[in-house]
Short mmCIF file of all heavy atoms in Angstrom, two decimals:
data_model
loop_
_atom_site.label_atom_id
_atom_site.label_comp_id
_atom_site.label_asym_id
_atom_site.label_seq_id
_atom_site.Cartn_x
_atom_site.Cartn_y
_atom_site.Cartn_z
N MET A 20 56.18 -35.68 -28.25
CA MET A 20 56.35 -34.58 -27.32
C MET A 20 57.12 -35.09 -26.10
O MET A 20 56.77 -36.08 -25.50
CB MET A 20 54.96 -34.05 -26.90
CG MET A 20 55.04 -32.89 -25.96
SD MET A 20 53.43 -32.27 -25.42
CE MET A 20 53.05 -31.15 -26.74
N THR A 21 58.15 -34.36 -25.74
CA THR A 21 58.95 -34.76 -24.59
C THR A 21 58.35 -34.16 -23.31
O THR A 21 57.48 -33.30 -23.37
CB THR A 21 60.41 -34.26 -24.73
OG1 THR A 21 60.40 -32.83 -24.68
CG2 THR A 21 61.03 -34.73 -26.02
N GLY A 22 58.86 -34.61 -22.21
CA GLY A 22 58.39 -34.08 -20.92
C GLY A 22 58.64 -32.59 -20.81
O GLY A 22 57.82 -31.85 -20.28
N ALA A 23 59.79 -32.14 -21.33
CA ALA A 23 60.13 -30.73 -21.29
C ALA A 23 59.15 -29.91 -22.12
O ALA A 23 58.76 -28.80 -21.74
CB ALA A 23 61.55 -30.50 -21.77
N ASP A 24 58.72 -30.46 -23.26
CA ASP A 24 57.75 -29.77 -24.10
C ASP A 24 56.40 -29.65 -23.41
O ASP A 24 55.71 -28.64 -23.56
CB ASP A 24 57.57 -30.52 -25.44
CG ASP A 24 58.81 -30.44 -26.31
OD1 ASP A 24 59.60 -29.48 -26.15
OD2 ASP A 24 58.99 -31.33 -27.14
N ALA A 25 56.03 -30.66 -22.67
CA ALA A 25 54.75 -30.66 -21.98
C ALA A 25 54.74 -29.66 -20.82
O ALA A 25 53.71 -29.09 -20.48
CB ALA A 25 54.42 -32.05 -21.47
N VAL A 26 55.90 -29.44 -20.22
CA VAL A 26 56.01 -28.57 -19.06
C VAL A 26 56.10 -27.09 -19.47
O VAL A 26 55.71 -26.21 -18.71
CB VAL A 26 57.24 -28.98 -18.20
CG1 VAL A 26 57.51 -27.99 -17.10
CG2 VAL A 26 57.04 -30.37 -17.64
N LYS A 27 56.58 -26.82 -20.66
CA LYS A 27 56.80 -25.44 -21.10
C LYS A 27 55.56 -24.57 -20.99
O LYS A 27 55.64 -23.46 -20.43
CB LYS A 27 57.35 -25.42 -22.53
CG LYS A 27 57.76 -24.04 -22.97
CD LYS A 27 58.40 -24.06 -24.34
CE LYS A 27 58.76 -22.63 -24.74
NZ LYS A 27 59.35 -22.55 -26.04
N PRO A 28 54.39 -24.99 -21.47
CA PRO A 28 53.20 -24.13 -21.32
C PRO A 28 52.84 -23.86 -19.85
O PRO A 28 52.42 -22.75 -19.50
CB PRO A 28 52.08 -24.93 -22.00
CG PRO A 28 52.78 -25.88 -22.91
CD PRO A 28 54.09 -26.18 -22.25
N LEU A 29 53.04 -24.85 -19.01
CA LEU A 29 52.76 -24.67 -17.58
C LEU A 29 53.70 -23.63 -16.99
O LEU A 29 53.28 -22.74 -16.25
CB LEU A 29 52.90 -26.01 -16.84
CG LEU A 29 52.72 -25.95 -15.33
CD1 LEU A 29 51.34 -25.41 -14.96
CD2 LEU A 29 52.95 -27.32 -14.72
N LEU A 30 54.99 -23.72 -17.34
CA LEU A 30 55.95 -22.74 -16.83
C LEU A 30 55.65 -21.34 -17.35
O LEU A 30 55.79 -20.36 -16.61
CB LEU A 30 57.38 -23.15 -17.23
CG LEU A 30 57.92 -24.40 -16.54
CD1 LEU A 30 59.27 -24.78 -17.11
CD2 LEU A 30 58.00 -24.19 -15.03
N GLU A 31 55.21 -21.24 -18.58
CA GLU A 31 54.84 -19.93 -19.13
C GLU A 31 53.64 -19.34 -18.39
O GLU A 31 53.61 -18.14 -18.10
CB GLU A 31 54.55 -20.05 -20.63
CG GLU A 31 55.80 -20.29 -21.46
CD GLU A 31 55.49 -20.60 -22.92
OE1 GLU A 31 54.30 -20.79 -23.28
OE2 GLU A 31 56.46 -20.67 -23.71
N ARG A 32 52.67 -20.18 -18.07
CA ARG A 32 51.51 -19.72 -17.31
C ARG A 32 51.92 -19.30 -15.90
O ARG A 32 51.43 -18.30 -15.36
CB ARG A 32 50.44 -20.80 -17.26
CG ARG A 32 49.71 -20.92 -18.60
CD ARG A 32 48.67 -22.02 -18.67
NE ARG A 32 47.90 -22.22 -17.47
CZ ARG A 32 47.34 -23.38 -17.13
NH1 ARG A 32 47.47 -24.44 -17.92
NH2 ARG A 32 46.65 -23.49 -16.02
N LEU A 33 52.82 -20.06 -15.30
CA LEU A 33 53.32 -19.71 -13.97
C LEU A 33 54.05 -18.37 -14.01
O LEU A 33 53.88 -17.53 -13.11
CB LEU A 33 54.24 -20.80 -13.42
CG LEU A 33 53.56 -22.07 -12.93
CD1 LEU A 33 54.60 -23.14 -12.63
CD2 LEU A 33 52.72 -21.79 -11.70
N ASP A 34 54.89 -18.17 -15.03
CA ASP A 34 55.61 -16.91 -15.17
C ASP A 34 54.64 -15.74 -15.31
O ASP A 34 54.82 -14.69 -14.68
CB ASP A 34 56.54 -16.94 -16.39
CG ASP A 34 57.77 -17.82 -16.17
OD1 ASP A 34 58.08 -18.14 -15.01
OD2 ASP A 34 58.41 -18.18 -17.18
N ALA A 35 53.62 -15.91 -16.12
CA ALA A 35 52.62 -14.85 -16.33
C ALA A 35 51.89 -14.56 -15.03
O ALA A 35 51.65 -13.39 -14.68
CB ALA A 35 51.64 -15.25 -17.43
N ARG A 36 51.51 -15.59 -14.31
CA ARG A 36 50.80 -15.41 -13.04
C ARG A 36 51.69 -14.73 -12.01
O ARG A 36 51.26 -13.85 -11.27
CB ARG A 36 50.32 -16.77 -12.52
CG ARG A 36 49.52 -16.68 -11.26
CD ARG A 36 48.21 -15.97 -11.49
NE ARG A 36 47.44 -15.97 -10.26
CZ ARG A 36 46.70 -14.96 -9.86
NH1 ARG A 36 46.57 -13.90 -10.61
NH2 ARG A 36 46.04 -15.02 -8.74
N GLU A 37 52.96 -15.14 -11.97
CA GLU A 37 53.90 -14.52 -11.04
C GLU A 37 54.07 -13.03 -11.36
O GLU A 37 54.10 -12.19 -10.45
CB GLU A 37 55.25 -15.23 -11.11
CG GLU A 37 56.27 -14.67 -10.13
CD GLU A 37 57.60 -15.39 -10.18
OE1 GLU A 37 57.79 -16.29 -11.03
OE2 GLU A 37 58.47 -15.04 -9.37
N GLN A 38 54.17 -12.69 -12.63
CA GLN A 38 54.31 -11.28 -13.01
C GLN A 38 53.07 -10.48 -12.64
O GLN A 38 53.16 -9.36 -12.14
CB GLN A 38 54.59 -11.16 -14.52
CG GLN A 38 54.87 -9.73 -14.96
CD GLN A 38 56.07 -9.13 -14.27
OE1 GLN A 38 57.15 -9.71 -14.26
NE2 GLN A 38 55.90 -7.96 -13.66
N ALA A 39 51.90 -11.07 -12.86
CA ALA A 39 50.66 -10.40 -12.51
C ALA A 39 50.58 -10.15 -11.00
O ALA A 39 50.18 -9.07 -10.55
CB ALA A 39 49.45 -11.21 -12.98
N MET A 40 50.97 -11.13 -10.23
CA MET A 40 50.96 -10.99 -8.77
C MET A 40 51.99 -9.96 -8.31
O MET A 40 51.74 -9.18 -7.38
CB MET A 40 51.22 -12.34 -8.09
CG MET A 40 50.16 -13.38 -8.34
SD MET A 40 48.59 -12.98 -7.56
CE MET A 40 49.01 -13.19 -5.86
N THR A 41 53.14 -9.94 -8.95
CA THR A 41 54.17 -8.95 -8.62
C THR A 41 53.67 -7.55 -8.91
O THR A 41 53.84 -6.63 -8.10
CB THR A 41 55.46 -9.24 -9.42
OG1 THR A 41 55.96 -10.52 -9.05
CG2 THR A 41 56.53 -8.19 -9.16
N ASP A 42 53.03 -7.36 -10.05
CA ASP A 42 52.46 -6.07 -10.41
C ASP A 42 51.41 -5.63 -9.39
O ASP A 42 51.38 -4.47 -8.96
CB ASP A 42 51.84 -6.10 -11.81
CG ASP A 42 52.87 -6.31 -12.90
OD1 ASP A 42 54.08 -6.15 -12.64
OD2 ASP A 42 52.47 -6.67 -14.03
N GLN A 43 50.55 -6.55 -9.01
CA GLN A 43 49.51 -6.24 -8.04
C GLN A 43 50.12 -5.87 -6.69
O GLN A 43 49.68 -4.91 -6.04
CB GLN A 43 48.56 -7.43 -7.88
CG GLN A 43 47.39 -7.15 -6.98
CD GLN A 43 46.43 -8.33 -6.89
OE1 GLN A 43 46.65 -9.38 -7.47
NE2 GLN A 43 45.35 -8.16 -6.15
N ALA A 44 51.13 -6.60 -6.27
CA ALA A 44 51.78 -6.31 -4.99
C ALA A 44 52.43 -4.93 -5.02
O ALA A 44 52.36 -4.19 -4.02
CB ALA A 44 52.83 -7.38 -4.68
N GLU A 45 53.02 -4.56 -6.14
CA GLU A 45 53.63 -3.23 -6.25
C GLU A 45 52.58 -2.14 -6.17
O GLU A 45 52.80 -1.10 -5.53
CB GLU A 45 54.41 -3.13 -7.57
CG GLU A 45 55.69 -3.95 -7.57
CD GLU A 45 56.39 -3.97 -8.92
OE1 GLU A 45 55.93 -3.27 -9.86
OE2 GLU A 45 57.39 -4.68 -9.04
N ARG A 46 51.43 -2.36 -6.78
CA ARG A 46 50.35 -1.37 -6.70
C ARG A 46 49.85 -1.22 -5.26
O ARG A 46 49.62 -0.11 -4.79
CB ARG A 46 49.19 -1.76 -7.63
CG ARG A 46 49.47 -1.49 -9.10
CD ARG A 46 48.23 -1.62 -9.95
NE ARG A 46 47.58 -2.92 -9.85
CZ ARG A 46 47.90 -3.99 -10.58
NH1 ARG A 46 48.87 -3.92 -11.46
NH2 ARG A 46 47.24 -5.12 -10.43
N VAL A 47 49.70 -2.33 -4.57
CA VAL A 47 49.23 -2.28 -3.17
C VAL A 47 50.28 -1.60 -2.29
O VAL A 47 49.92 -0.78 -1.43
CB VAL A 47 48.90 -3.70 -2.66
CG1 VAL A 47 48.66 -3.70 -1.16
CG2 VAL A 47 47.69 -4.26 -3.40
N ARG A 48 51.56 -1.88 -2.53
CA ARG A 48 52.61 -1.20 -1.75
C ARG A 48 52.56 0.31 -1.97
O ARG A 48 52.72 1.09 -1.02
CB ARG A 48 53.99 -1.73 -2.13
CG ARG A 48 54.32 -3.06 -1.52
CD ARG A 48 55.78 -3.48 -1.78
NE ARG A 48 55.96 -4.85 -1.41
CZ ARG A 48 55.87 -5.90 -2.23
NH1 ARG A 48 55.60 -5.70 -3.51
NH2 ARG A 48 56.03 -7.12 -1.80
N ALA A 49 52.33 0.73 -3.20
CA ALA A 49 52.23 2.16 -3.50
C ALA A 49 51.02 2.77 -2.79
O ALA A 49 51.11 3.89 -2.25
CB ALA A 49 52.13 2.38 -5.01
N GLN A 50 49.91 2.06 -2.77
CA GLN A 50 48.72 2.54 -2.08
C GLN A 50 48.98 2.67 -0.58
O GLN A 50 48.56 3.65 0.05
CB GLN A 50 47.53 1.61 -2.32
CG GLN A 50 46.99 1.66 -3.73
CD GLN A 50 45.90 0.62 -3.95
OE1 GLN A 50 45.81 -0.37 -3.24
NE2 GLN A 50 45.07 0.85 -4.96
N ILE A 51 49.65 1.68 -0.02
CA ILE A 51 49.98 1.72 1.41
C ILE A 51 50.88 2.92 1.71
O ILE A 51 50.68 3.62 2.71
CB ILE A 51 50.64 0.40 1.87
CG1 ILE A 51 49.62 -0.74 1.86
CG2 ILE A 51 51.29 0.56 3.23
CD1 ILE A 51 50.21 -2.11 2.06
N GLU A 52 51.83 3.17 0.84
CA GLU A 52 52.73 4.31 1.02
C GLU A 52 51.94 5.62 1.00
O GLU A 52 52.14 6.50 1.85
CB GLU A 52 53.79 4.31 -0.08
CG GLU A 52 54.91 5.28 0.12
CD GLU A 52 55.99 5.11 -0.93
OE1 GLU A 52 56.48 3.98 -1.10
OE2 GLU A 52 56.33 6.12 -1.57
N GLU A 53 51.02 5.76 0.05
CA GLU A 53 50.19 6.96 -0.04
C GLU A 53 49.30 7.11 1.19
O GLU A 53 49.17 8.21 1.75
CB GLU A 53 49.32 6.90 -1.29
CG GLU A 53 50.09 7.04 -2.59
CD GLU A 53 49.22 6.79 -3.81
OE1 GLU A 53 47.98 6.79 -3.68
OE2 GLU A 53 49.78 6.58 -4.89
N LEU A 54 48.69 6.02 1.62
CA LEU A 54 47.81 6.07 2.78
C LEU A 54 48.59 6.38 4.06
O LEU A 54 48.11 7.11 4.93
CB LEU A 54 47.04 4.76 2.93
CG LEU A 54 45.96 4.51 1.87
CD1 LEU A 54 45.43 3.08 1.99
CD2 LEU A 54 44.84 5.52 1.98
N THR A 55 49.79 5.85 4.17
CA THR A 55 50.64 6.11 5.33
C THR A 55 50.99 7.59 5.40
O THR A 55 50.94 8.21 6.47
CB THR A 55 51.90 5.25 5.29
OG1 THR A 55 51.53 3.87 5.30
CG2 THR A 55 52.82 5.53 6.46
N ALA A 56 51.32 8.18 4.25
CA ALA A 56 51.62 9.60 4.21
C ALA A 56 50.39 10.42 4.59
O ALA A 56 50.48 11.38 5.38
CB ALA A 56 52.12 9.99 2.83
N ARG A 57 49.25 10.06 4.05
CA ARG A 57 48.00 10.77 4.35
C ARG A 57 47.66 10.66 5.84
O ARG A 57 47.24 11.63 6.47
CB ARG A 57 46.86 10.21 3.50
CG ARG A 57 45.54 10.88 3.71
CD ARG A 57 45.55 12.31 3.20
NE ARG A 57 44.23 12.90 3.41
CZ ARG A 57 44.03 14.08 3.95
NH1 ARG A 57 45.04 14.84 4.30
NH2 ARG A 57 42.81 14.53 4.13
N LEU A 58 47.84 9.47 6.40
CA LEU A 58 47.58 9.28 7.82
C LEU A 58 48.49 10.16 8.67
O LEU A 58 48.06 10.75 9.67
CB LEU A 58 47.76 7.80 8.19
CG LEU A 58 47.51 7.41 9.63
CD1 LEU A 58 46.10 7.78 10.07
CD2 LEU A 58 47.77 5.92 9.82
N GLY A 59 49.74 10.27 8.28
CA GLY A 59 50.66 11.14 9.00
C GLY A 59 50.20 12.59 8.98
O GLY A 59 50.28 13.29 9.99
N GLU A 60 49.71 13.04 7.82
CA GLU A 60 49.19 14.40 7.71
C GLU A 60 47.98 14.61 8.62
O GLU A 60 47.86 15.62 9.31
CB GLU A 60 48.80 14.70 6.27
CG GLU A 60 49.97 14.76 5.30
CD GLU A 60 49.52 14.81 3.85
OE1 GLU A 60 48.29 14.86 3.59
OE2 GLU A 60 50.40 14.79 2.97
N LEU A 61 47.07 13.64 8.60
CA LEU A 61 45.88 13.75 9.44
C LEU A 61 46.24 13.75 10.92
O LEU A 61 45.68 14.53 11.70
CB LEU A 61 44.91 12.61 9.13
CG LEU A 61 44.25 12.67 7.75
CD1 LEU A 61 43.49 11.37 7.47
CD2 LEU A 61 43.32 13.86 7.65
N ASP A 62 47.17 12.90 11.32
CA ASP A 62 47.61 12.87 12.71
C ASP A 62 48.23 14.21 13.12
O ASP A 62 48.00 14.69 14.24
CB ASP A 62 48.62 11.74 12.94
CG ASP A 62 47.98 10.37 13.00
OD1 ASP A 62 46.76 10.29 13.25
OD2 ASP A 62 48.71 9.38 12.80
N GLU A 63 48.98 14.82 12.22
CA GLU A 63 49.58 16.12 12.51
C GLU A 63 48.50 17.18 12.69
O GLU A 63 48.56 17.99 13.63
CB GLU A 63 50.52 16.52 11.37
CG GLU A 63 51.26 17.81 11.62
CD GLU A 63 52.25 18.15 10.52
OE1 GLU A 63 52.53 17.28 9.67
OE2 GLU A 63 52.72 19.30 10.52
N HIS A 64 47.50 17.18 11.83
CA HIS A 64 46.40 18.14 11.96
C HIS A 64 45.64 17.92 13.27
O HIS A 64 45.26 18.89 13.95
CB HIS A 64 45.44 18.05 10.78
CG HIS A 64 46.00 18.58 9.50
ND1 HIS A 64 46.34 19.90 9.32
CD2 HIS A 64 46.29 17.97 8.34
CE1 HIS A 64 46.81 20.08 8.11
NE2 HIS A 64 46.80 18.92 7.48
N LEU A 65 45.41 16.67 13.61
CA LEU A 65 44.73 16.38 14.88
C LEU A 65 45.53 16.90 16.07
O LEU A 65 44.97 17.47 17.01
CB LEU A 65 44.50 14.87 15.03
CG LEU A 65 43.36 14.29 14.22
CD1 LEU A 65 43.41 12.76 14.24
CD2 LEU A 65 42.03 14.76 14.78
N GLU A 66 46.83 16.71 16.02
CA GLU A 66 47.68 17.20 17.12
C GLU A 66 47.60 18.72 17.21
O GLU A 66 47.54 19.27 18.32
CB GLU A 66 49.12 16.73 16.92
CG GLU A 66 50.04 17.08 18.07
CD GLU A 66 49.60 16.50 19.42
OE1 GLU A 66 48.90 15.46 19.46
OE2 GLU A 66 49.95 17.10 20.44
N HIS A 67 47.59 19.39 16.08
CA HIS A 67 47.47 20.86 16.11
C HIS A 67 46.13 21.28 16.72
O HIS A 67 46.09 22.25 17.50
CB HIS A 67 47.61 21.43 14.70
CG HIS A 67 48.98 21.31 14.14
ND1 HIS A 67 49.26 21.50 12.81
CD2 HIS A 67 50.18 21.00 14.71
CE1 HIS A 67 50.55 21.33 12.60
NE2 HIS A 67 51.12 21.02 13.74
N LEU A 68 45.08 20.59 16.38
CA LEU A 68 43.78 20.91 16.96
C LEU A 68 43.78 20.68 18.47
O LEU A 68 43.22 21.49 19.24
CB LEU A 68 42.68 20.07 16.32
CG LEU A 68 42.34 20.42 14.87
CD1 LEU A 68 41.40 19.37 14.27
CD2 LEU A 68 41.72 21.80 14.79
N ARG A 69 44.40 19.62 18.91
CA ARG A 69 44.47 19.34 20.36
C ARG A 69 45.26 20.43 21.08
O ARG A 69 44.90 20.86 22.19
CB ARG A 69 45.07 17.96 20.59
CG ARG A 69 44.14 16.85 20.18
CD ARG A 69 44.76 15.46 20.43
NE ARG A 69 43.86 14.44 19.96
CZ ARG A 69 44.16 13.55 19.01
NH1 ARG A 69 45.35 13.54 18.44
NH2 ARG A 69 43.28 12.64 18.64
N ILE A 70 46.36 20.84 20.47
CA ILE A 70 47.17 21.90 21.08
C ILE A 70 46.37 23.20 21.15
O ILE A 70 46.39 23.90 22.17
CB ILE A 70 48.49 22.11 20.29
CG1 ILE A 70 49.40 20.88 20.48
CG2 ILE A 70 49.21 23.39 20.72
CD1 ILE A 70 50.59 20.85 19.54
N THR A 71 45.67 23.51 20.08
CA THR A 71 44.84 24.71 20.05
C THR A 71 43.78 24.66 21.15
O THR A 71 43.56 25.64 21.88
CB THR A 71 44.17 24.88 18.66
OG1 THR A 71 45.20 24.98 17.67
CG2 THR A 71 43.30 26.12 18.62
N ARG A 72 43.13 23.51 21.29
CA ARG A 72 42.12 23.34 22.34
C ARG A 72 42.73 23.57 23.73
O ARG A 72 42.18 24.28 24.55
CB ARG A 72 41.48 21.96 22.26
CG ARG A 72 40.46 21.70 23.38
CD ARG A 72 39.93 20.28 23.35
NE ARG A 72 39.27 19.99 22.08
CZ ARG A 72 38.00 20.34 21.79
NH1 ARG A 72 37.28 21.00 22.66
NH2 ARG A 72 37.49 20.03 20.63
N LYS A 73 43.89 22.96 23.97
CA LYS A 73 44.55 23.10 25.27
C LYS A 73 44.92 24.55 25.53
O LYS A 73 44.77 25.06 26.65
CB LYS A 73 45.79 22.21 25.33
CG LYS A 73 45.47 20.74 25.47
CD LYS A 73 46.72 19.89 25.35
CE LYS A 73 47.46 19.85 26.66
NZ LYS A 73 48.60 18.89 26.63
N THR A 74 45.39 25.23 24.49
CA THR A 74 45.78 26.63 24.64
C THR A 74 44.58 27.50 24.99
O THR A 74 44.63 28.35 25.89
CB THR A 74 46.46 27.13 23.35
OG1 THR A 74 47.60 26.30 23.06
CG2 THR A 74 46.89 28.58 23.48
N ILE A 75 43.49 27.30 24.26
CA ILE A 75 42.26 28.07 24.52
C ILE A 75 41.74 27.80 25.93
O ILE A 75 41.35 28.72 26.65
CB ILE A 75 41.20 27.76 23.45
CG1 ILE A 75 41.65 28.36 22.11
CG2 ILE A 75 39.83 28.32 23.85
CD1 ILE A 75 40.80 27.93 20.94
N LEU A 76 41.73 26.54 26.34
CA LEU A 76 41.27 26.21 27.69
C LEU A 76 42.17 26.84 28.76
O LEU A 76 41.68 27.25 29.83
CB LEU A 76 41.18 24.70 27.85
CG LEU A 76 40.07 24.00 27.09
CD1 LEU A 76 40.20 22.49 27.19
CD2 LEU A 76 38.70 24.46 27.59
N ALA A 77 43.45 26.92 28.48
CA ALA A 77 44.38 27.52 29.45
C ALA A 77 44.17 29.02 29.58
O ALA A 77 44.47 29.61 30.62
CB ALA A 77 45.82 27.22 29.03
N LEU A 78 43.64 29.68 28.56
CA LEU A 78 43.43 31.11 28.58
C LEU A 78 42.13 31.51 29.27
O LEU A 78 41.91 32.67 29.55
CB LEU A 78 43.43 31.67 27.14
CG LEU A 78 44.74 31.56 26.38
CD1 LEU A 78 44.55 31.99 24.94
CD2 LEU A 78 45.81 32.41 27.07
N ARG A 79 41.27 30.56 29.53
CA ARG A 79 39.95 30.86 30.14
C ARG A 79 40.06 31.27 31.56
O ARG A 79 40.82 31.01 32.34
CB ARG A 79 39.04 29.64 30.06
CG ARG A 79 38.62 29.35 28.67
CD ARG A 79 37.67 28.24 28.50
NE ARG A 79 37.03 27.75 29.70
CZ ARG A 79 36.14 26.76 29.73
NH1 ARG A 79 35.83 26.16 28.63
NH2 ARG A 79 35.59 26.35 30.83
#
């Protein structure tokens, strides 16, 4: 067995691990994107509630 033959299984394991980590990172990025969008929606609703409160208080 040559040195290159001995290294091949290690490189294959590294490739598999790298792919698994890449897949996981992509899933987390997608989750962050979804959460960021949801947070934007919630912030918009909160702002509408604040405006409504200010309007009602101004009419008193």
Side-chain angles (χ1 to χ4, degrees):
M20 181 181 274
T21 66
D24 292 335
V26 172
K27 187 175 179 181
L29 176 59
L30 291 175
E31 289 172 351
R32 286 177 38 207
L33 285 171
D34 287 343
R36 183 66 177 142
E37 182 179 4
Q38 185 60 52
M40 295 293 290
T41 298
D42 294 345
Q43 185 178 2
E45 289 174 4
R46 284 192 302 275
V47 170
R48 282 187 191 94
Q50 290 174 338
I51 290 170
E52 190 174 307
E53 291 172 16
L54 290 171
T55 299
R57 181 68 179 132
L58 181 58
E60 292 170 4
L61 292 170
D62 284 340
E63 184 177 348
H64 288 296
L65 283 169
E66 185 59 26
H67 290 166
L68 290 171
R69 289 180 183 120
I70 291 168
T71 301
R72 177 185 300 278
K73 287 173 81 173
T74 303
I75 290 170
L76 289 173
L78 295 173
R79 290 184 13 180

